[in-house]
Amino acid sequence: EAQVTQNPRYLITVTGKKLTVTCSQNMNHEYMSWYRQDPGLGLRQIYYSMNVEVTDKGDVPEGYKVSRKEKRNFPLILESPSPNQTSLYFCASSRRETTGELFFGEGSRLTVL
Amino acid sequence: GDSVTQMEGPVTLSEEAFLTINCTYTATGYPSLFWYVQYPGEGLQLLLKATKADDKGSNKGFEATYRKETTSFHLEKGSVQVSDSAVYFCALSDRYNFNKFYFGSGTKLNVKP
């Protein structure tokens, strides 16, 4: 089954404790991206990657890091989480040729105390 | 910069009622336009898209027409069902540089039997 898998789905952590949210896709997609969803703000893009070792900032990259060492994986790293990073996070992937047809994971709800 | 504005929700309708969710956009280039749907507890799914002016996207009884003169992409359905209850997001990406996506804030639709 074609899917984008995120882990963990739910996490409660404390300020400053480094965490990683993993994202993996099994569709051989070149493009992957991360979004955060906040009430009244919709989805905002954090980072995206056009292919292995190629990443770039979205609209809200501050406080986040990413890496793309393998085509299928695109982890989101919070080096020192803060309460304003409490949010619902989505990973998405797409084939380069199918503009706009993003496949989303089920989301990771993160709470930073 | 590019942006998307959606009508605020929630929108509450009775089954078989007509649905319109307004969406307008601001873009500097040549955007492709999309509607995504998010069912409770799930990630977003592509509902329909249009890549150039006057194109009509359609899927599952939903339609939206790309209106360049009014910079709009309103979502319509002639007869909604309870199963259509979800959050609907309007989005755009540049047609030639789809690295970045811009989403509206989402409109929650509640359909009552």
Side-chain angles (χ1 to χ4, degrees):
Chain A
E1 180 188 355
Q3 59 186 5
V4 178
T5 303
Q6 297 178 223
N7 280 296
R9 295 288 312 282
Y10 302 91
L11 179 64
I12 300 174
T13 189
V14 296
T15 300
K17 186 176 182 181
K18 180 180 178 180
L19 68 92
T20 299
V21 185
T22 63
C23 174
S24 181
Q25 49 93 5
N26 62 1
M27 297 168 278
N28 201 36
H29 285 168
E30 297 88 1
Y31 177 89
M32 298 184 75
S33 58
W34 276 102
Y35 299 84
R36 58 178 290 172
Q37 182 179 17
D38 300 293
L41 297 177
L43 276 75
R44 293 179 292 168
Q45 192 174 44
I46 303 171
Y47 270 95
Y48 63 91
S49 170
M50 293 301 295
N51 216 322
V52 175
E53 302 292 1
V54 181
T55 64
D56 207 348
K57 297 177 180 179
D59 288 327
V60 288
E62 295 78 18
Y64 305 94
K65 288 175 58 177
V66 293
S67 68
R68 187 91 182 272
K69 293 182 169 50
E70 304 168 287
K71 195 172 187 178
R72 62 183 293 129
N73 296 323
F74 191 46
L76 180 69
I77 303 159
L78 286 73
E79 292 271 3
S80 182
S82 61
N84 64 12
Q85 292 178 297
T86 293
S87 187
L88 178 59
Y89 292 88
F90 286 100
C91 180
S93 71
S94 175
R95 285 180 57 201
R96 191 193 302 272
E97 295 81 14
T98 55
T99 306
E101 294 186 48
L102 296 173
F103 290 80
F104 281 84
E106 293 183 312
S108 297
R109 185 167 291 282
L110 171 65
T111 301
V112 183
L113 302 175
Chain B
D2 294 1
S3 65
V4 176
T5 302
Q6 284 181 241
M7 63 185 286
E8 291 195 18
V11 174
T12 301
L13 297 173
S14 297
E15 208 165 21
E16 299 184 2
F18 184 86
L19 168 71
T20 300
I21 300 179
N22 291 337
C23 171
T24 57
Y25 68 89
T26 301
T28 53
Y30 300 91
S32 294
L33 302 173
F34 312 90
W35 278 100
Y36 279 83
V37 59
Q38 183 181 31
Y39 298 104
E42 299 183 8
L44 282 72
Q45 306 172 27
L46 179 65
L47 180 61
L48 53 85
K49 71 175 184 180
T51 57
K52 61 183 185 298
D54 300 324
D55 270 2
K56 177 185 282 188
S58 61
N59 186 24
K60 300 180 181 180
F62 291 90
E63 293 183 339
T65 301
Y66 188 142
R67 302 283 189 200
K68 188 175 181 181
E69 63 276 14
T70 55
T71 62
S72 64
F73 193 55
H74 305 321
L75 182 68
E76 297 182 336
K77 188 175 184 182
S79 176
V80 294
Q81 306 299 313
V82 172
S83 57
D84 293 327
S85 297
V87 181
Y88 292 82
F89 291 90
C90 187
L92 72 81
S93 72
D94 186 275
R95 191 192 313 168
Y96 301 108
N97 181 21
F98 74 99
N99 302 340
K100 290 194 172 185
F101 280 83
Y102 299 90
F103 286 84
S105 57
T107 302
K108 185 172 184 179
L109 171 65
N110 296 315
V111 180
K112 298 188 173 183

